[in-house]
Amino acid sequence: MAHAAQVGLQDATSPIMEELIIFHDHALMIIFLICFLVLYALFLTLTTKLTNTSISDAQEMETVWTILPAIILVLIALPSLRILYMTDEVNDPSFTIKSIGHQWYWTYEYTDYGGLIFNSYMLPPLFLEPGDLRLLDVDNRVVLPVEAPVRMMITSQDVLHSWAVPTLGLKTDAIPGRLNQTTFTATRPGVYYGQCSEICGANHSFMPIVLELIPLKIFEMGPVFTL
Amino acid sequence: MAAAPEPGEPEERKASCTSLHLSYWKSVKLLGFLDVENTPCARHSILYGSLGSAVAGFGHFLFTSRIRRSCDVGVGGFILVTLGCWFHCRYNYAKQRIQERIAREEIKKKILYEGTHLDPERKHNGSSSN
């Protein structure tokens, strides 16, 4: 989860998120250099003694400031498109879970190996125990195996919602009447948090998502099916 | 529960919200957003870029004695050297990550298959003895 006043990305828990962080660093370095150049140009503009205001011909400068941004855009677009297509790859998922958004909770369906369906409500502040996270913890977590490709089918029963878990690099809209799919492979066990990411009413901020990722051996023993 | 520290031993530094908050705010962010400490290759690129900028700008000034043009050369040098070091370092970093991933998977396979008929070392030793 994010720590207080965190602005940057959370640590990656999936290969896609690792690639996204690498791309983010790459884009940020290019942005930094552009900002540095612009600040320098601003400094020159403010400190110049040249006052000629009727310059009408600057072919070389215009050529440079057309070609250079094109090169910069290509440098950013190529890795971006690579990751975009990578996120759409479906690597033969071993497990499918349906996630249905409601106002204002999530329903999860594990229908591959049985008919487990449960709701996931945010824990109200009065029900929090010491160590629980306010506005993030839920009554029933989504329990999933680590290092196994998982497919999430996401939809909504009423209005638009969005199922998001930043550390996995996931954000998929839950649209009524439509089934969206996202896949991921978690690389380390733990408890990971997300929040609804599409405005959906009064309690939009109070329908979090909590994933509990456990080793595959323990998952196969069936703890998730003992609810 | 941690044992009480021995006399003369420094006290254990307890993690707290305040200390985490302070350690977060101690990270160096150029122009307010580029986290130089936690971004791989950023510090290395910026340092070499600064050095390249100083060398190019000062060198140009020594030859031409033109201050403004030397500053322009310095800024241009900073951008080019930083970009060059950045791409070079990130390429090596990506290669290293791939090698780490291959090594990690091979170690896992070795642990799984050691002593079984799938052990590649056993196959290799078997074929060399034949």
Side-chain angles (χ1 to χ4, degrees):
Chain A
M1 56 163 284
H3 56 74
Q6 178 169 346
V7 176
L9 298 170
Q10 295 181 27
D11 291 340
T13 306
S14 68
I16 292 287
M17 190 58 191
E18 287 172 15
E19 295 294 328
L20 283 168
I21 290 173
I22 289 169
F23 172 70
H24 173 261
D25 293 341
H26 167 76
L28 217 56
M29 177 56 79
I30 293 176
I31 290 167
F32 168 75
L33 293 173
I34 293 170
C35 286
F36 184 77
L37 183 65
V38 167
L39 281 172
Y40 181 66
L42 189 62
F43 169 75
L44 286 181
T45 311
L46 292 172
T47 56
T48 187
K49 288 178 188 161
L50 301 171
T51 52
N52 187 357
T53 55
S54 54
I55 298 172
S56 60
D57 204 10
Q59 297 289 353
E60 299 85 5
M61 194 162 62
E62 295 207 1
T63 308
V64 167
W65 73 30
T66 304
I67 293 188
L68 199 58
I71 295 172
I72 292 170
L73 285 174
V74 168
L75 279 180
I76 295 174
L78 290 179
S80 172
L81 287 170
R82 179 182 150 262
I83 295 175
L84 182 66
Y85 285 103
M86 207 186 284
T87 56
D88 275 344
E89 285 174 7
V90 179
N91 297 322
D92 190 24
S94 50
F95 201 64
T96 300
I97 297 176
K98 296 177 200 62
S99 167
I100 301 158
H102 303 263
Q103 284 178 308
W104 288 278
Y105 61 98
W106 295 94
T107 300
Y108 298 103
E109 297 184 6
Y110 288 64
T111 47
D112 276 2
Y113 304 105
L116 176 64
I117 301 173
F118 61 91
N119 296 331
S120 180
Y121 283 86
M122 184 190 83
L123 282 180
L126 287 174
F127 289 86
L128 290 174
E129 294 183 9
D132 284 348
L133 297 167
R134 192 180 74 93
L135 307 186
L136 282 177
D137 266 313
V138 297
D139 52 359
N140 299 314
R141 295 172 176 171
V142 184
V143 181
L144 292 170
V146 175
E147 290 186 3
V150 175
R151 177 199 277 129
M152 293 292 304
M153 306 295 291
I154 298 159
T155 185
S156 168
Q157 200 249 339
D158 38 44
V159 298
L160 293 179
H161 301 273
S162 186
W163 197 84
V165 184
T167 187
L168 291 167
L170 299 175
K171 185 176 289 181
T172 307
D173 282 355
I175 299 167
R178 181 186 170 89
L179 209 55
N180 281 333
Q181 173 184 275
T182 187
T183 55
F184 65 91
T185 306
T187 51
R188 52 196 180 106
V191 179
Y192 303 107
Y193 297 87
Q195 292 175 289
C196 178
S197 299
E198 186 68 43
I199 187 77
C200 54
N203 287 348
H204 155 68
S205 309
F206 308 115
M207 49 182 295
I209 297 132
V210 183
L211 300 189
E212 185 172 336
L213 296 166
I214 58 178
L216 187 59
K217 272 189 192 170
I218 299 174
F219 184 82
E220 282 172 344
M221 288 178 346
V224 71
F225 299 113
T226 58
L227 286 172
Chain B
M1 204 157 158
E6 300 284 326
E9 232 182 44
E11 271 188 25
E12 221 175 63
R13 187 166 170 268
K14 291 178 196 169
S16 66
C17 272
T18 314
S19 60
L20 283 169
H21 194 71
L22 283 174
S23 65
Y24 171 77
W25 284 109
K26 275 182 192 164
S27 67
V28 176
K29 291 193 172 186
L30 292 181
L31 292 183
F33 60 84
L34 185 68
D35 190 346
V36 169
E37 282 183 29
N38 295 319
T39 306
C41 296
R43 195 175 71 108
H44 170 267
S45 305
I46 297 290
L47 282 174
Y48 275 100
S50 307
L51 184 65
S53 158
V55 166
F58 190 62
H60 187 271
F61 177 72
L62 283 179
F63 281 106
T64 61
S65 299
R66 292 171 72 179
I67 299 171
R68 279 192 98 92
R69 183 52 57 92
S70 301
C71 289
D72 296 344
V73 169
V75 166
F78 173 77
I79 290 170
L80 288 173
V81 174
T82 303
L83 261 183
C85 286
W86 173 256
F87 282 120
H88 180 256
C89 181
R90 293 296 281 200
Y91 175 74
N92 290 335
Y93 180 69
K95 265 199 325 193
Q96 191 189 354
R97 281 183 71 237
I98 292 169
Q99 285 166 354
E100 279 172 11
R101 196 185 68 219
I102 293 170
R104 210 168 32 237
E105 281 166 21
E106 290 300 317
I107 289 170
K108 263 192 216 168
K109 276 188 204 165
K110 185 177 166 61
I111 293 168
L112 271 175
Y113 296 141
E114 199 168 24
T116 66
H117 66 284
L118 294 167
D119 189 353
E121 277 182 17
R122 181 185 272 194
K123 279 183 192 170
H124 175 72
N125 291 341
S127 61
S128 62
S129 64
N130 285 341

